[in-house]
Amino acid sequence: MGLIDLFQKTRETSMEMKPQEDDTVKVVKCKGCGAELKAYVYGKNLYVCPHCGRYGRLLARTRIRQIADKDSFEELYANLAPADPINFPGYAEKTAELAEKVGMSDAVKTGVCRIGGVETCIGVMDSHFMMASMGSVVGEKLTRLFEYATEKSLPVVIFTCSGGARMQEGMFSLLQMAKVSAAARRHSDAGLLYITVLTDPTTGGVTASFAMLGDIILAEPRTTIGFAGRRVIEGTIGQTLPDDFQSSEFLLSHGFCDKIVPRNQLRETLETILKLHCGPKAKKWQVRRHG
Amino acid sequence: MANRTASEKMRIIHDTKRPMLSDYIEELFDDFVELHGDRYFADDHAIMAGIGYFNGTPVTVIGHRKGRTIEQNMDANFGMANPEGYRKALRLAHQAEKFHRPVINFVDTSGAYPGAGAEERGQGEAIARCLYEFIELKTPVVSIVTGEGGSGGALALAVADRVLMLENAIYSVVSPRACASILWKDPKREGEAAEALRLTAQDLYEFGMIEGIVPEGQTNAQLIRNVGRALRDQLAELSAEQDIDILLQKRYEKFRKIGVFRQINQEENEGV
Ligand SMILES: [Zn+2]
């Protein structure tokens, strides 16, 4: 284990995310019910609290470890880091600090992996980096991922979570919505599969762009998904909204998501869907036109 | 005039005497026929759309509608569209594609409506679908931001071959007030946020995000004439391009190139 690895592990444990395999002592507190969980047990349970069922927010690399076939992930575009395009007060310092703390240069990890043996382009947003708001780097990495997938005829799976567009990059952020959606459209026009998995929380400009454009839209249970913020809406209508408003269950019942999948079934659900499209039995129905 | 502060511009564009969509339609389009409804749920009065002649050529016009009186504004929901508004826009954009008409979008909204019903009916999906469809719409599209370009609700009508802005218009990822309250917990610092966000027409032109700034002149009549001239010039240039694939490729590249980032040594970063 190199020094960097060690450092990374320490950081992860400090974020109550990835306990080391031998770490049976360390205890983390569930933010839902307050139960004290052995870090090792919590990790084995995919960061779902065994007492109250609360879903912990995952680091991108933890998610990839849960979903991708072992050792199959190859990261792409890891060398892109945020600039400060409008010289927004405090932004450069903030991103530098987070890069150090989270161990990612920005809020998405992109690459190629296999899921149940199917080669897949994968993008995972990480709420630990500025609530996974979308600026130029997130937009560029996802756009490149779609373009790469289009060129190589591969399916794309994106795990979304986001506070929305990143205000600190001004209009550069807003226009990423159009940029990523455009690349997703070209991928779709090439007849390729795009699956989104909505995770907590998916809001604002990410909801209003590629999160809602999957051929198939999955969601984790009890996830917040919406366009406008709950408090903004409550302010507009002068009423308190029900608890399940903007939950994945709410989206499912209103017809905006295909299926809610518990975390421990995500991997096999993705595998099944990917194989239906790209597996050895995924023959395309050939129709001939006469005349 | 270009040295007005962002806050001054925001006061100017909120003047109710400033031209609004109905004025542009009245002055610039002949035989305008308004068309209603998204065919799924309702007719959203925050979006006005229809067909008419522009300098003798049939076009489709789509825009955010505001009003002068409180009654008109209530009816138009202050220009804040619901999902059915964006779906009406898309329906008519596809109709324009079918009949080979250019599309002209007028953008003037503080944002998509943040209401409970809007969320139930998929505000996010409706806006996303606009981005996804306008980028490949097989007919020329020109958008002009005449007042407020408020976030996703504005962008939904601004995925176009050419995007113009009036001299005092603004176009922003977030309202300065919301920005100040979220980042600095102080909505009173709105003016400071307006400057920091770089949201003026001059800023966006400098960033290469828009193709032109339309001068406003001294009177409303002059302003509308200038808008008419700018739209005419842009459409003339676009109609010179006969190959739709080239048009769409240029539209794609226009959005594709936007973004500023650094390249770092990969080892600063870590894999899984
Ligand atoms: Zn718990």
Side-chain angles (χ1 to χ4, degrees), chain A residues 30 32-35 49 51-54:
Chain A
C30 170
C33 64
C49 173
H51 303 285
C52 69
R54 182 183 185 278

Side-chain angles (χ1 to χ4, degrees), chain B residues 119-135:
Chain B
E119 296 291 321
E120 287 169 357
R121 300 191 295 279
Q123 188 72 285
E125 195 274 346
I127 293 171
R129 197 60 57 185
C130 281
L131 312 180
Y132 198 70
E133 296 297 327
F134 270 107
I135 196 71

Side-chain angles (χ1 to χ4, degrees), chain B residues 227-247:
Chain B
V227 167
R229 228 175 266 142
L231 292 173
R232 182 196 63 199
D233 293 348
Q234 296 296 340
L235 282 176
E237 275 183 42
L238 291 171
S239 63
E241 180 55 74
Q242 297 292 317
D243 188 333
I244 193 70
D245 291 332
I246 292 174
L247 188 80

Side-chain angles (χ1 to χ4, degrees), chain B residues 5 17 27 39 48 53 61 81 101 134 153 169 178 186 204 233:
Chain B
T5 66
K17 289 196 282 297
E27 294 298 323
R39 299 294 188 270
M48 187 179 183
Y53 293 101
V61 187
R101 286 192 289 264
F134 270 107
D186 184 1
L204 269 71
D233 293 348

Side-chain angles (χ1 to χ4, degrees), chain B:
Chain B
M1 247 172 281
N3 53 14
R4 283 198 184 101
T5 66
S7 303
E8 281 166 345
K9 285 168 183 286
M10 289 181 70
R11 270 192 296 280
I12 292 171
I13 58 174
H14 282 109
D15 184 346
T16 52
K17 289 196 282 297
R18 193 177 165 83
M20 50 188 58
L21 181 57
S22 50
D23 303 313
Y24 294 111
I25 288 177
E26 172 77 29
E27 294 298 323
L28 300 175
F29 302 93
D30 298 318
D31 294 346
F32 181 75
V33 181
E34 188 177 356
L35 303 170
H36 294 277
D38 69 344
R39 299 294 188 270
Y40 296 110
F41 180 74
D43 182 44
D44 186 348
H45 295 184
I47 300 268
M48 187 179 183
I51 51 178
Y53 293 101
F54 179 66
N55 294 319
T57 305
V59 296
T60 292
V61 187
I62 303 168
H64 297 101
R65 183 167 157 264
K66 288 183 178 173
R68 289 218 157 77
T69 65
I70 187 75
E71 290 77 18
Q72 286 170 353
N73 260 321
M74 298 280 281
D75 181 54
N77 200 27
F78 297 85
M80 293 182 287
N82 273 286
E84 48 275 20
Y86 294 110
R87 292 184 183 125
K88 170 165 74 176
L90 267 187
R91 177 174 79 81
L92 295 178
H94 284 132
Q95 189 189 76
E97 182 179 55
K98 172 177 173 183
F99 294 109
H100 303 277
R101 286 192 289 264
V103 178
I104 300 175
N105 289 330
F106 288 85
V107 177
D108 186 15
T109 181
S110 58
Y113 185 57
E119 296 291 321
E120 287 169 357
R121 300 191 295 279
Q123 188 72 285
E125 195 274 346
I127 293 171
R129 197 60 57 185
C130 281
L131 312 180
Y132 198 70
E133 296 297 327
F134 270 107
I135 196 71
E136 286 290 327
L137 199 75
K138 293 180 182 59
T139 194
V141 184
V142 178
S143 295
I144 179 162
V145 185
T146 59
E148 282 180 286
S151 195
L155 179 63
L157 296 188
V159 173
D161 300 300
R162 302 291 161 85
V163 180
L164 306 175
M165 285 176 78
L166 276 175
E167 178 189 328
N168 290 311
I170 62 161
Y171 188 4
S172 180
V173 63
V174 61
S175 83
R177 197 178 167 76
C179 177
S181 38
I182 296 165
L183 288 185
W184 305 323
K185 313 286 173 234
D186 184 1
K188 286 198 289 296
R189 286 169 72 186
E190 154 175 39
E192 203 179 322
E195 296 302 324
L197 284 165
R198 305 289 306 273
L199 44 66
T200 68
Q202 292 72 25
D203 290 326
L204 269 71
Y205 188 76
E206 187 191 311
F207 295 144
M209 295 169 177
I210 60 170
E211 281 65 45
I213 301 174
V214 181
E216 299 189 2
Q218 303 302 315
T219 64
N220 277 358
Q222 237 171 47
L223 187 156
I224 294 175
R225 255 199 316 278
N226 291 348
V227 167
R229 228 175 266 142
L231 292 173
R232 182 196 63 199
D233 293 348
Q234 296 296 340
L235 282 176
E237 275 183 42
L238 291 171
S239 63
E241 180 55 74
Q242 297 292 317
D243 188 333
I244 193 70
D245 291 332
I246 292 174
L247 188 80
L248 294 179
Q249 181 61 22
K250 284 183 180 162
R251 194 185 298 164
Y252 183 84
E253 283 165 8
K254 185 173 123 67
F255 288 93
R256 177 66 188 87
K257 70 179 189 329
I258 291 168
V260 178
F261 41 83
R262 291 178 300 130
Q263 310 261 356
I264 53 167
N265 181 350
Q266 210 151 333
E267 274 154 32
E268 282 182 46
N269 232 3
E270 299 139 25
V272 172

